[in-house]
């Protein structure tokens, strides 16, 4: 009898993940690629329904991940060193969850084995976002959503 494959996301600390494992944590929700506005008076971060121009809003993944910083210089690269400090990451973000030693949700594809589960669970940008190329004033696109 052989051992089941290791569920690296459950027992490997973030700092020990290899590049492939790190990238595999992304569930394709796309929520980190939704523009947020900061209230100048309160500092509160407010979500919009406006997605980065490079986000494939159907799949939830960047359409040019490798070269994204050439087109979107402000795109944040998540690392083990910064993931704990980025407070605007979605509460369901696997990087955030694992950094806090919390389990991945049942709909995460590493758990469910199904890339579409994130969309069926209503945890992705599919169906409610627009591209930044199609909007004017971002303030007109504030949404009452928890990301």
């Amino acid at each position: 009898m052989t051992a089941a494959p290791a569920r690296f996301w459950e027992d490997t600390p973030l700092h020990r993940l290899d590049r492939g494992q790190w990238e595999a944590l992304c569930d394709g929700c796309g929520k980190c690629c939704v523009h947020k506005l900061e209230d100048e008076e309160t500092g509160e971060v407010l979500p919009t329904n406006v997605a980065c121009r490079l986000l494939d809003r159907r799949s939830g993944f960047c359409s040019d991940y490798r070269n994204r910083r050439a087109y979107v210089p402000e795109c944040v690269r998540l690392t083990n060193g910064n993931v704990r400090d980025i407070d605007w990451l979605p509460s369901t973000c696997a990087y955030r969850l694992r950094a806090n030693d919390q389990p991945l949700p049942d709909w995460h594809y590493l758990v469910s084995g199904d890339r579409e589960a994130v969309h069926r669970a209503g945890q992705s940008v599919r169906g409610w976002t627009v591209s930044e190329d199609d909007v004017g004033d971002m303030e007109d696109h504030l949404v009452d959503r928890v990301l």
Side-chain angles (χ1 to χ4, degrees):
M1 189 168 179
T2 60
R7 293 170 57 106
F8 70 87
W9 61 92
E10 292 180 337
D11 56 16
T12 307
L14 285 180
H15 71 277
R16 294 240 167 120
L17 297 180
D18 64 32
R19 178 74 178 191
Q21 291 170 326
W22 179 268
E23 294 298 332
L25 278 180
C26 179
D27 60 24
C29 75
K31 292 190 255 181
C32 60
C33 299
V34 172
H35 289 279
K36 293 107 182 141
L37 299 177
E38 184 176 354
D39 184 304
E40 292 177 10
E41 293 178 17
T42 66
E44 182 182 8
V45 177
L46 307 166
T48 71
N49 69 337
V50 180
C52 171
R53 70 179 34 95
L54 292 180
L55 183 67
D56 177 330
R57 296 177 296 118
R58 176 131 180 87
S59 73
F61 289 100
C62 184
S63 62
D64 194 0
Y65 185 73
R66 180 177 296 250
N67 301 304
R68 69 192 186 279
R69 303 254 339 207
Y71 301 104
V72 184
E74 65 274 12
C75 183
V76 175
R77 180 175 178 251
L78 295 181
T79 67
N80 179 53
N82 69 9
V83 72
R84 290 167 184 80
D85 300 324
I86 301 175
D87 59 358
W88 50 259
L89 283 174
S91 61
T92 58
C93 176
Y95 299 101
R96 180 182 200 164
L97 291 170
R98 294 309 304 136
N100 293 316
D101 293 321
Q102 296 176 310
L104 299 183
D106 290 342
W107 48 257
H108 192 288
Y109 85 97
L110 288 172
V111 177
S112 70
D114 181 2
R115 280 277 185 198
E116 288 295 308
V118 64
H119 306 298
R120 281 195 308 278
Q123 294 297 321
S124 75
V125 300
R126 187 184 285 174
W128 63 270
T129 56
V130 295
S131 173
E132 67 184 327
D133 290 335
D134 300 327
V135 302
D137 189 351
M138 289 275 192
E139 290 180 0
D140 293 337
H141 291 272
L142 291 170
V143 292
D144 187 22
R145 252 184 199 273
V146 175
L147 297 182

